[in-house]
Short mmCIF file of all heavy atoms in Angstrom, two decimals:
data_model
loop_
_atom_site.label_atom_id
_atom_site.label_comp_id
_atom_site.label_asym_id
_atom_site.label_seq_id
_atom_site.Cartn_x
_atom_site.Cartn_y
_atom_site.Cartn_z
N MET A 1 -13.21 7.44 12.69
CA MET A 1 -12.61 8.73 12.43
C MET A 1 -13.44 9.51 11.42
O MET A 1 -13.61 10.71 11.57
CB MET A 1 -11.19 8.57 11.92
CG MET A 1 -10.52 9.90 11.72
SD MET A 1 -8.75 9.76 11.79
CE MET A 1 -8.31 10.11 10.13
N ALA A 2 -13.98 8.85 10.42
CA ALA A 2 -14.79 9.55 9.42
C ALA A 2 -16.02 10.18 10.05
O ALA A 2 -16.45 11.26 9.66
CB ALA A 2 -15.19 8.59 8.30
N HIS A 3 -16.60 9.51 11.04
CA HIS A 3 -17.77 10.06 11.75
C HIS A 3 -17.38 11.39 12.42
O HIS A 3 -18.14 12.36 12.37
CB HIS A 3 -18.29 9.09 12.80
CG HIS A 3 -18.87 7.85 12.23
ND1 HIS A 3 -20.13 7.80 11.69
CD2 HIS A 3 -18.36 6.61 12.09
CE1 HIS A 3 -20.37 6.58 11.26
NE2 HIS A 3 -19.30 5.83 11.49
N ASN A 4 -16.22 11.43 13.04
CA ASN A 4 -15.76 12.64 13.72
C ASN A 4 -15.50 13.77 12.72
O ASN A 4 -15.84 14.92 12.97
CB ASN A 4 -14.50 12.37 14.54
CG ASN A 4 -14.78 11.47 15.71
OD1 ASN A 4 -15.89 11.41 16.21
ND2 ASN A 4 -13.77 10.74 16.14
N LEU A 5 -14.87 13.45 11.60
CA LEU A 5 -14.63 14.46 10.57
C LEU A 5 -15.93 15.00 10.02
O LEU A 5 -16.10 16.21 9.84
CB LEU A 5 -13.79 13.87 9.43
CG LEU A 5 -12.32 13.64 9.73
CD1 LEU A 5 -11.65 12.92 8.57
CD2 LEU A 5 -11.61 14.95 10.02
N ARG A 6 -16.87 14.11 9.73
CA ARG A 6 -18.15 14.54 9.17
C ARG A 6 -18.86 15.49 10.14
O ARG A 6 -19.50 16.45 9.73
CB ARG A 6 -19.02 13.32 8.88
CG ARG A 6 -20.37 13.61 8.28
CD ARG A 6 -20.29 14.20 6.88
NE ARG A 6 -20.34 15.64 6.93
CZ ARG A 6 -20.13 16.46 5.92
NH1 ARG A 6 -19.84 15.99 4.73
NH2 ARG A 6 -20.19 17.74 6.06
N ALA A 7 -18.71 15.24 11.43
CA ALA A 7 -19.35 16.09 12.43
C ALA A 7 -18.76 17.49 12.46
O ALA A 7 -19.44 18.44 12.80
CB ALA A 7 -19.22 15.44 13.81
N LYS A 8 -17.49 17.63 12.05
CA LYS A 8 -16.82 18.92 12.10
C LYS A 8 -16.90 19.71 10.79
O LYS A 8 -16.67 20.91 10.78
CB LYS A 8 -15.36 18.72 12.50
CG LYS A 8 -15.19 18.25 13.93
CD LYS A 8 -13.75 18.00 14.24
CE LYS A 8 -13.42 17.69 15.66
NZ LYS A 8 -14.16 16.79 16.39
N VAL A 9 -17.23 19.04 9.71
CA VAL A 9 -17.30 19.69 8.40
C VAL A 9 -18.72 20.21 8.19
O VAL A 9 -19.68 19.51 8.50
CB VAL A 9 -16.92 18.67 7.29
CG1 VAL A 9 -17.10 19.28 5.92
CG2 VAL A 9 -15.49 18.21 7.48
N PRO A 10 -18.87 21.43 7.66
CA PRO A 10 -20.22 21.95 7.41
C PRO A 10 -21.04 21.00 6.54
O PRO A 10 -20.51 20.36 5.63
CB PRO A 10 -19.96 23.27 6.69
CG PRO A 10 -18.58 23.67 7.11
CD PRO A 10 -17.83 22.37 7.30
N ALA A 11 -22.33 20.91 6.82
CA ALA A 11 -23.20 19.95 6.13
C ALA A 11 -23.24 20.17 4.63
O ALA A 11 -23.45 19.21 3.88
CB ALA A 11 -24.61 20.04 6.71
N GLU A 12 -23.03 21.39 4.16
CA GLU A 12 -23.09 21.64 2.72
C GLU A 12 -21.82 21.20 1.99
O GLU A 12 -21.80 21.12 0.77
CB GLU A 12 -23.37 23.11 2.43
CG GLU A 12 -22.31 24.07 2.90
CD GLU A 12 -22.49 24.53 4.34
OE1 GLU A 12 -23.38 24.05 5.05
OE2 GLU A 12 -21.70 25.40 4.76
N ASP A 13 -20.76 20.89 2.72
CA ASP A 13 -19.52 20.43 2.12
C ASP A 13 -19.55 18.93 1.87
O ASP A 13 -20.22 18.19 2.57
CB ASP A 13 -18.32 20.77 3.01
CG ASP A 13 -18.03 22.25 3.07
OD1 ASP A 13 -18.59 23.00 2.24
OD2 ASP A 13 -17.26 22.65 3.94
N MET A 14 -18.80 18.50 0.87
CA MET A 14 -18.68 17.09 0.52
C MET A 14 -17.52 16.48 1.31
O MET A 14 -16.46 17.09 1.41
CB MET A 14 -18.41 16.94 -0.96
CG MET A 14 -18.12 15.53 -1.41
SD MET A 14 -19.55 14.46 -1.39
CE MET A 14 -20.49 15.18 -2.72
N LEU A 15 -17.73 15.30 1.86
CA LEU A 15 -16.66 14.55 2.50
C LEU A 15 -16.32 13.39 1.58
O LEU A 15 -17.17 12.56 1.28
CB LEU A 15 -17.08 14.01 3.88
CG LEU A 15 -16.07 13.12 4.58
CD1 LEU A 15 -14.79 13.90 4.91
CD2 LEU A 15 -16.65 12.53 5.85
N LEU A 16 -15.08 13.37 1.09
CA LEU A 16 -14.61 12.27 0.26
C LEU A 16 -13.92 11.27 1.17
O LEU A 16 -13.04 11.63 1.93
CB LEU A 16 -13.64 12.79 -0.81
CG LEU A 16 -14.21 13.82 -1.77
CD1 LEU A 16 -13.12 14.34 -2.69
CD2 LEU A 16 -15.36 13.25 -2.57
N VAL A 17 -14.32 10.01 1.06
CA VAL A 17 -13.79 8.97 1.92
C VAL A 17 -12.95 8.01 1.07
O VAL A 17 -13.41 7.51 0.05
CB VAL A 17 -14.93 8.18 2.60
CG1 VAL A 17 -14.38 7.10 3.49
CG2 VAL A 17 -15.83 9.11 3.37
N CYS A 18 -11.73 7.78 1.52
CA CYS A 18 -10.83 6.84 0.85
C CYS A 18 -10.24 5.95 1.94
O CYS A 18 -9.60 6.44 2.86
CB CYS A 18 -9.74 7.61 0.11
SG CYS A 18 -8.60 6.55 -0.80
N ASP A 19 -10.48 4.65 1.82
CA ASP A 19 -10.02 3.73 2.86
C ASP A 19 -9.61 2.41 2.22
O ASP A 19 -10.18 2.01 1.21
CB ASP A 19 -11.15 3.50 3.87
CG ASP A 19 -10.66 2.86 5.15
OD1 ASP A 19 -10.19 1.72 5.12
OD2 ASP A 19 -10.75 3.54 6.19
N MET A 20 -8.65 1.76 2.80
CA MET A 20 -8.20 0.45 2.31
C MET A 20 -9.29 -0.61 2.47
O MET A 20 -9.38 -1.53 1.68
CB MET A 20 -6.93 0.01 3.05
CG MET A 20 -5.75 0.91 2.85
SD MET A 20 -5.08 0.78 1.20
CE MET A 20 -4.39 -0.85 1.25
N ASN A 21 -10.11 -0.46 3.50
CA ASN A 21 -11.16 -1.42 3.77
C ASN A 21 -12.43 -0.98 3.02
O ASN A 21 -13.19 -0.14 3.49
CB ASN A 21 -11.42 -1.50 5.27
CG ASN A 21 -12.41 -2.59 5.63
OD1 ASN A 21 -13.30 -2.93 4.86
ND2 ASN A 21 -12.26 -3.11 6.83
N GLU A 22 -12.65 -1.54 1.84
CA GLU A 22 -13.77 -1.13 1.01
C GLU A 22 -15.12 -1.41 1.65
O GLU A 22 -16.07 -0.64 1.47
CB GLU A 22 -13.69 -1.80 -0.36
CG GLU A 22 -12.68 -1.13 -1.26
CD GLU A 22 -12.91 -1.48 -2.72
OE1 GLU A 22 -14.07 -1.45 -3.17
OE2 GLU A 22 -11.92 -1.77 -3.39
N GLU A 23 -15.23 -2.48 2.39
CA GLU A 23 -16.49 -2.82 3.04
C GLU A 23 -16.91 -1.74 4.04
O GLU A 23 -18.06 -1.28 4.04
CB GLU A 23 -16.38 -4.17 3.75
CG GLU A 23 -17.66 -4.61 4.42
CD GLU A 23 -17.50 -5.94 5.15
OE1 GLU A 23 -16.60 -6.72 4.80
OE2 GLU A 23 -18.29 -6.18 6.07
N THR A 24 -15.97 -1.31 4.86
CA THR A 24 -16.25 -0.27 5.84
C THR A 24 -16.57 1.05 5.16
O THR A 24 -17.51 1.75 5.53
CB THR A 24 -15.05 -0.09 6.79
OG1 THR A 24 -14.81 -1.32 7.45
CG2 THR A 24 -15.29 1.01 7.81
N MET A 25 -15.80 1.38 4.12
CA MET A 25 -16.02 2.62 3.39
C MET A 25 -17.40 2.63 2.73
O MET A 25 -18.14 3.61 2.83
CB MET A 25 -14.92 2.78 2.33
CG MET A 25 -15.02 4.05 1.53
SD MET A 25 -13.61 4.27 0.41
CE MET A 25 -13.74 2.84 -0.65
N THR A 26 -17.76 1.54 2.11
CA THR A 26 -19.06 1.44 1.45
C THR A 26 -20.20 1.54 2.45
O THR A 26 -21.20 2.22 2.21
CB THR A 26 -19.15 0.11 0.66
OG1 THR A 26 -18.08 0.06 -0.28
CG2 THR A 26 -20.47 -0.01 -0.07
N ARG A 27 -20.05 0.89 3.59
CA ARG A 27 -21.08 0.94 4.63
C ARG A 27 -21.25 2.37 5.16
O ARG A 27 -22.38 2.86 5.33
CB ARG A 27 -20.74 -0.01 5.77
CG ARG A 27 -21.85 -0.11 6.81
CD ARG A 27 -21.55 -1.12 7.91
NE ARG A 27 -20.32 -0.79 8.61
CZ ARG A 27 -19.29 -1.60 8.77
NH1 ARG A 27 -19.33 -2.82 8.27
NH2 ARG A 27 -18.21 -1.22 9.40
N PHE A 28 -20.15 3.07 5.39
CA PHE A 28 -20.20 4.44 5.88
C PHE A 28 -20.94 5.35 4.88
O PHE A 28 -21.81 6.13 5.26
CB PHE A 28 -18.78 4.96 6.11
CG PHE A 28 -18.72 6.40 6.53
CD1 PHE A 28 -18.97 6.76 7.84
CD2 PHE A 28 -18.40 7.39 5.61
CE1 PHE A 28 -18.92 8.10 8.23
CE2 PHE A 28 -18.34 8.72 6.00
CZ PHE A 28 -18.60 9.07 7.30
N VAL A 29 -20.61 5.23 3.61
CA VAL A 29 -21.25 6.06 2.57
C VAL A 29 -22.73 5.72 2.47
O VAL A 29 -23.58 6.61 2.39
CB VAL A 29 -20.54 5.87 1.22
CG1 VAL A 29 -21.32 6.55 0.09
CG2 VAL A 29 -19.12 6.41 1.28
N LYS A 30 -23.05 4.44 2.50
CA LYS A 30 -24.45 4.02 2.40
C LYS A 30 -25.27 4.57 3.57
O LYS A 30 -26.38 5.08 3.37
CB LYS A 30 -24.55 2.50 2.36
CG LYS A 30 -25.94 1.98 2.19
CD LYS A 30 -25.96 0.46 2.13
CE LYS A 30 -27.40 -0.04 2.02
NZ LYS A 30 -27.48 -1.48 2.03
N GLU A 31 -24.75 4.49 4.78
CA GLU A 31 -25.46 5.01 5.96
C GLU A 31 -25.69 6.52 5.82
O GLU A 31 -26.76 7.02 6.13
CB GLU A 31 -24.66 4.72 7.23
CG GLU A 31 -24.66 3.28 7.63
CD GLU A 31 -23.71 2.99 8.79
OE1 GLU A 31 -23.06 3.93 9.31
OE2 GLU A 31 -23.60 1.81 9.18
N ALA A 32 -24.68 7.24 5.35
CA ALA A 32 -24.82 8.69 5.20
C ALA A 32 -25.86 9.02 4.14
O ALA A 32 -26.68 9.93 4.32
CB ALA A 32 -23.47 9.29 4.83
N GLN A 33 -25.87 8.28 3.04
CA GLN A 33 -26.84 8.53 1.97
C GLN A 33 -28.25 8.20 2.43
O GLN A 33 -29.20 8.92 2.09
CB GLN A 33 -26.47 7.72 0.72
CG GLN A 33 -25.24 8.24 0.05
CD GLN A 33 -24.74 7.35 -1.08
OE1 GLN A 33 -25.14 6.19 -1.20
NE2 GLN A 33 -23.88 7.89 -1.90
N GLU A 34 -28.42 7.15 3.21
CA GLU A 34 -29.74 6.79 3.73
C GLU A 34 -30.27 7.87 4.66
O GLU A 34 -31.43 8.26 4.58
CB GLU A 34 -29.68 5.45 4.47
CG GLU A 34 -29.53 4.27 3.54
CD GLU A 34 -29.28 2.96 4.27
OE1 GLU A 34 -29.10 2.98 5.52
OE2 GLU A 34 -29.27 1.92 3.60
N ARG A 35 -29.41 8.38 5.54
CA ARG A 35 -29.85 9.45 6.45
C ARG A 35 -30.19 10.71 5.69
O ARG A 35 -31.14 11.41 6.01
CB ARG A 35 -28.77 9.72 7.49
CG ARG A 35 -28.68 8.60 8.49
CD ARG A 35 -27.89 9.00 9.71
NE ARG A 35 -27.92 7.91 10.67
CZ ARG A 35 -26.85 7.39 11.22
NH1 ARG A 35 -25.67 7.86 10.93
NH2 ARG A 35 -26.96 6.39 12.07
N ARG A 36 -29.42 11.01 4.65
CA ARG A 36 -29.70 12.19 3.83
C ARG A 36 -31.04 12.01 3.11
O ARG A 36 -31.83 12.95 3.02
CB ARG A 36 -28.57 12.41 2.85
CG ARG A 36 -28.72 13.68 2.03
CD ARG A 36 -27.46 13.91 1.21
NE ARG A 36 -27.63 15.02 0.30
CZ ARG A 36 -27.40 16.28 0.62
NH1 ARG A 36 -26.98 16.58 1.83
NH2 ARG A 36 -27.59 17.24 -0.26
N ALA A 37 -31.31 10.82 2.60
CA ALA A 37 -32.56 10.55 1.88
C ALA A 37 -33.77 10.66 2.80
O ALA A 37 -34.86 11.01 2.36
CB ALA A 37 -32.52 9.16 1.26
N GLN A 38 -33.57 10.39 4.08
CA GLN A 38 -34.65 10.49 5.07
C GLN A 38 -34.85 11.93 5.53
O GLN A 38 -35.69 12.20 6.37
CB GLN A 38 -34.35 9.60 6.28
CG GLN A 38 -34.32 8.14 5.96
CD GLN A 38 -33.79 7.31 7.12
OE1 GLN A 38 -33.35 7.84 8.14
NE2 GLN A 38 -33.80 6.00 6.96
N GLY A 39 -34.08 12.83 4.97
CA GLY A 39 -34.22 14.24 5.34
C GLY A 39 -33.38 14.65 6.52
O GLY A 39 -33.45 15.78 6.97
N GLY A 40 -32.57 13.75 7.01
CA GLY A 40 -31.73 14.08 8.16
C GLY A 40 -30.53 14.90 7.76
O GLY A 40 -29.80 14.55 6.85
N ARG A 41 -30.33 16.03 8.40
CA ARG A 41 -29.16 16.86 8.14
C ARG A 41 -28.22 16.82 9.33
O ARG A 41 -27.60 17.80 9.69
CB ARG A 41 -29.58 18.30 7.83
CG ARG A 41 -30.35 18.47 6.57
CD ARG A 41 -29.54 18.17 5.35
NE ARG A 41 -28.46 19.15 5.24
CZ ARG A 41 -27.60 19.19 4.28
NH1 ARG A 41 -27.66 18.31 3.31
NH2 ARG A 41 -26.65 20.09 4.24
N THR A 42 -28.16 15.65 9.95
CA THR A 42 -27.23 15.48 11.08
C THR A 42 -25.83 15.38 10.52
O THR A 42 -25.62 15.41 9.32
CB THR A 42 -27.56 14.20 11.86
OG1 THR A 42 -27.36 13.08 11.00
CG2 THR A 42 -29.00 14.21 12.37
N GLU A 43 -24.86 15.23 11.37
CA GLU A 43 -23.48 15.13 10.90
C GLU A 43 -23.29 13.97 9.93
O GLU A 43 -22.44 14.02 9.07
CB GLU A 43 -22.49 15.01 12.07
CG GLU A 43 -22.49 13.68 12.79
CD GLU A 43 -23.54 13.59 13.88
OE1 GLU A 43 -24.30 14.53 14.08
OE2 GLU A 43 -23.57 12.53 14.53
N MET A 44 -24.11 12.93 10.05
CA MET A 44 -23.98 11.79 9.14
C MET A 44 -24.96 11.88 7.99
O MET A 44 -24.98 11.03 7.13
CB MET A 44 -24.21 10.49 9.91
CG MET A 44 -23.04 10.10 10.77
SD MET A 44 -21.55 9.87 9.80
CE MET A 44 -22.08 8.56 8.70
N GLY A 45 -25.78 12.91 7.95
CA GLY A 45 -26.76 13.03 6.88
C GLY A 45 -26.31 13.97 5.79
O GLY A 45 -27.08 14.33 4.91
N ALA A 46 -25.08 14.36 5.82
CA ALA A 46 -24.57 15.28 4.83
C ALA A 46 -23.97 14.51 3.65
O ALA A 46 -24.02 13.30 3.59
CB ALA A 46 -23.56 16.21 5.46
N ARG A 47 -23.39 15.23 2.73
CA ARG A 47 -22.88 14.63 1.50
C ARG A 47 -21.57 13.88 1.75
O ARG A 47 -20.61 14.45 2.23
CB ARG A 47 -22.68 15.71 0.45
CG ARG A 47 -23.96 16.43 0.15
CD ARG A 47 -23.85 17.56 -0.82
NE ARG A 47 -22.51 18.04 -1.02
CZ ARG A 47 -22.14 18.80 -2.04
NH1 ARG A 47 -23.01 19.15 -2.94
NH2 ARG A 47 -20.90 19.21 -2.16
N VAL A 48 -21.57 12.61 1.38
CA VAL A 48 -20.40 11.76 1.53
C VAL A 48 -20.27 10.90 0.28
O VAL A 48 -21.25 10.35 -0.19
CB VAL A 48 -20.54 10.83 2.77
CG1 VAL A 48 -19.34 9.90 2.89
CG2 VAL A 48 -20.72 11.63 4.04
N GLU A 49 -19.06 10.80 -0.25
CA GLU A 49 -18.80 9.94 -1.41
C GLU A 49 -17.51 9.17 -1.19
O GLU A 49 -16.58 9.66 -0.56
CB GLU A 49 -18.65 10.77 -2.69
CG GLU A 49 -19.94 11.33 -3.21
CD GLU A 49 -19.76 12.03 -4.55
OE1 GLU A 49 -18.77 11.74 -5.26
OE2 GLU A 49 -20.59 12.88 -4.87
N ALA A 50 -17.47 7.97 -1.74
CA ALA A 50 -16.26 7.15 -1.68
C ALA A 50 -15.42 7.40 -2.92
O ALA A 50 -15.95 7.60 -4.00
CB ALA A 50 -16.63 5.67 -1.61
N VAL A 51 -14.12 7.41 -2.74
CA VAL A 51 -13.18 7.50 -3.86
C VAL A 51 -12.18 6.36 -3.73
O VAL A 51 -11.99 5.81 -2.65
CB VAL A 51 -12.46 8.87 -3.89
CG1 VAL A 51 -13.44 9.99 -4.20
CG2 VAL A 51 -11.75 9.16 -2.59
N ARG A 52 -11.58 6.00 -4.83
CA ARG A 52 -10.70 4.83 -4.84
C ARG A 52 -9.24 5.15 -4.51
O ARG A 52 -8.53 4.31 -4.00
CB ARG A 52 -10.77 4.15 -6.20
CG ARG A 52 -12.14 3.67 -6.54
CD ARG A 52 -12.45 2.39 -5.80
NE ARG A 52 -13.81 1.98 -6.10
CZ ARG A 52 -14.66 1.57 -5.19
NH1 ARG A 52 -14.30 1.48 -3.94
NH2 ARG A 52 -15.88 1.21 -5.52
N THR A 53 -8.79 6.36 -4.87
CA THR A 53 -7.38 6.68 -4.68
C THR A 53 -7.21 8.05 -4.06
O THR A 53 -8.08 8.91 -4.16
CB THR A 53 -6.62 6.68 -6.03
OG1 THR A 53 -7.13 7.74 -6.84
CG2 THR A 53 -6.76 5.34 -6.75
N VAL A 54 -6.05 8.27 -3.46
CA VAL A 54 -5.72 9.57 -2.91
C VAL A 54 -5.63 10.59 -4.04
O VAL A 54 -5.99 11.75 -3.87
CB VAL A 54 -4.40 9.50 -2.11
CG1 VAL A 54 -3.97 10.87 -1.63
CG2 VAL A 54 -4.55 8.55 -0.94
N ARG A 55 -5.18 10.17 -5.18
CA ARG A 55 -5.11 11.06 -6.35
C ARG A 55 -6.49 11.62 -6.69
O ARG A 55 -6.64 12.79 -6.99
CB ARG A 55 -4.52 10.32 -7.55
CG ARG A 55 -4.43 11.20 -8.77
CD ARG A 55 -3.91 10.42 -9.98
NE ARG A 55 -3.80 11.32 -11.09
CZ ARG A 55 -2.71 11.53 -11.78
NH1 ARG A 55 -1.60 10.87 -11.47
NH2 ARG A 55 -2.70 12.36 -12.78
N GLU A 56 -7.50 10.76 -6.65
CA GLU A 56 -8.87 11.20 -6.92
C GLU A 56 -9.32 12.24 -5.89
O GLU A 56 -10.00 13.20 -6.23
CB GLU A 56 -9.83 10.01 -6.94
CG GLU A 56 -11.21 10.37 -7.40
CD GLU A 56 -12.15 9.18 -7.48
OE1 GLU A 56 -11.69 8.03 -7.34
OE2 GLU A 56 -13.35 9.41 -7.69
N VAL A 57 -8.94 12.06 -4.65
CA VAL A 57 -9.26 13.04 -3.62
C VAL A 57 -8.65 14.39 -4.00
O VAL A 57 -9.33 15.42 -3.99
CB VAL A 57 -8.74 12.61 -2.23
CG1 VAL A 57 -8.92 13.72 -1.21
CG2 VAL A 57 -9.43 11.33 -1.77
N ALA A 58 -7.37 14.38 -4.35
CA ALA A 58 -6.68 15.62 -4.71
C ALA A 58 -7.30 16.28 -5.94
O ALA A 58 -7.46 17.50 -5.98
CB ALA A 58 -5.21 15.33 -4.96
N GLU A 59 -7.67 15.49 -6.93
CA GLU A 59 -8.25 16.04 -8.15
C GLU A 59 -9.62 16.67 -7.90
O GLU A 59 -9.99 17.63 -8.55
CB GLU A 59 -8.36 14.96 -9.22
CG GLU A 59 -7.03 14.54 -9.79
CD GLU A 59 -7.11 13.32 -10.69
OE1 GLU A 59 -8.17 12.65 -10.72
OE2 GLU A 59 -6.11 13.04 -11.36
N ARG A 60 -10.36 16.14 -6.96
CA ARG A 60 -11.72 16.62 -6.68
C ARG A 60 -11.77 17.68 -5.59
O ARG A 60 -12.81 18.30 -5.37
CB ARG A 60 -12.61 15.45 -6.30
CG ARG A 60 -12.78 14.50 -7.49
CD ARG A 60 -13.74 13.43 -7.23
NE ARG A 60 -15.02 13.96 -6.79
CZ ARG A 60 -15.99 13.22 -6.28
NH1 ARG A 60 -15.82 11.93 -6.16
NH2 ARG A 60 -17.12 13.76 -5.90
N ALA A 61 -10.67 17.90 -4.91
CA ALA A 61 -10.64 18.84 -3.80
C ALA A 61 -10.79 20.28 -4.29
O ALA A 61 -10.18 20.69 -5.26
CB ALA A 61 -9.34 18.70 -3.03
N VAL A 62 -11.64 21.02 -3.58
CA VAL A 62 -11.81 22.44 -3.87
C VAL A 62 -10.89 23.24 -2.97
O VAL A 62 -10.25 24.18 -3.40
CB VAL A 62 -13.28 22.87 -3.64
CG1 VAL A 62 -13.45 24.36 -3.82
CG2 VAL A 62 -14.20 22.09 -4.55
N SER A 63 -10.84 22.86 -1.73
CA SER A 63 -9.94 23.49 -0.78
C SER A 63 -9.48 22.43 0.21
O SER A 63 -10.12 21.38 0.34
CB SER A 63 -10.62 24.64 -0.04
OG SER A 63 -11.70 24.15 0.70
N PHE A 64 -8.41 22.68 0.85
CA PHE A 64 -7.87 21.71 1.79
C PHE A 64 -8.08 22.17 3.22
O PHE A 64 -7.86 23.32 3.54
CB PHE A 64 -6.36 21.50 1.55
CG PHE A 64 -6.07 20.85 0.24
CD1 PHE A 64 -5.78 21.61 -0.87
CD2 PHE A 64 -6.11 19.48 0.10
CE1 PHE A 64 -5.51 21.03 -2.09
CE2 PHE A 64 -5.86 18.88 -1.11
CZ PHE A 64 -5.55 19.66 -2.22
N VAL A 65 -8.52 21.25 4.03
CA VAL A 65 -8.66 21.51 5.47
C VAL A 65 -7.78 20.49 6.17
O VAL A 65 -7.88 19.29 5.94
CB VAL A 65 -10.12 21.34 5.91
CG1 VAL A 65 -10.24 21.55 7.41
CG2 VAL A 65 -11.02 22.29 5.16
N PHE A 66 -6.91 20.96 7.02
CA PHE A 66 -6.01 20.07 7.73
C PHE A 66 -6.41 20.01 9.19
O PHE A 66 -6.58 21.03 9.83
CB PHE A 66 -4.55 20.56 7.62
CG PHE A 66 -4.04 20.53 6.20
CD1 PHE A 66 -4.09 21.66 5.40
CD2 PHE A 66 -3.54 19.36 5.68
CE1 PHE A 66 -3.62 21.62 4.12
CE2 PHE A 66 -3.06 19.31 4.39
CZ PHE A 66 -3.10 20.45 3.60
N PHE A 67 -6.57 18.81 9.71
CA PHE A 67 -6.87 18.59 11.11
C PHE A 67 -5.61 18.07 11.77
O PHE A 67 -5.04 17.09 11.33
CB PHE A 67 -8.01 17.59 11.29
CG PHE A 67 -9.33 18.10 10.78
CD1 PHE A 67 -9.75 17.83 9.50
CD2 PHE A 67 -10.13 18.88 11.60
CE1 PHE A 67 -10.96 18.29 9.04
CE2 PHE A 67 -11.34 19.36 11.14
CZ PHE A 67 -11.75 19.07 9.86
N VAL A 68 -5.17 18.73 12.81
CA VAL A 68 -3.96 18.31 13.50
C VAL A 68 -4.31 17.80 14.87
O VAL A 68 -5.16 18.26 15.54
CB VAL A 68 -2.98 19.50 13.62
CG1 VAL A 68 -1.72 19.08 14.33
CG2 VAL A 68 -2.66 20.04 12.24
#
């Protein structure tokens, strides 16, 4: 699901990822950072960071986008 969201969010925006499965979350962030470091501006090469709690997401949010 995070891959699909990243594809829909503009590359200049930050995607904050919060997931119960830390291994999956860490792998997703690492892959995105590696692609960004290689100069790739694909949907997975944009800015992605992991956060620990939903509260942290809310505190760092600039604007809210709701996908239904």
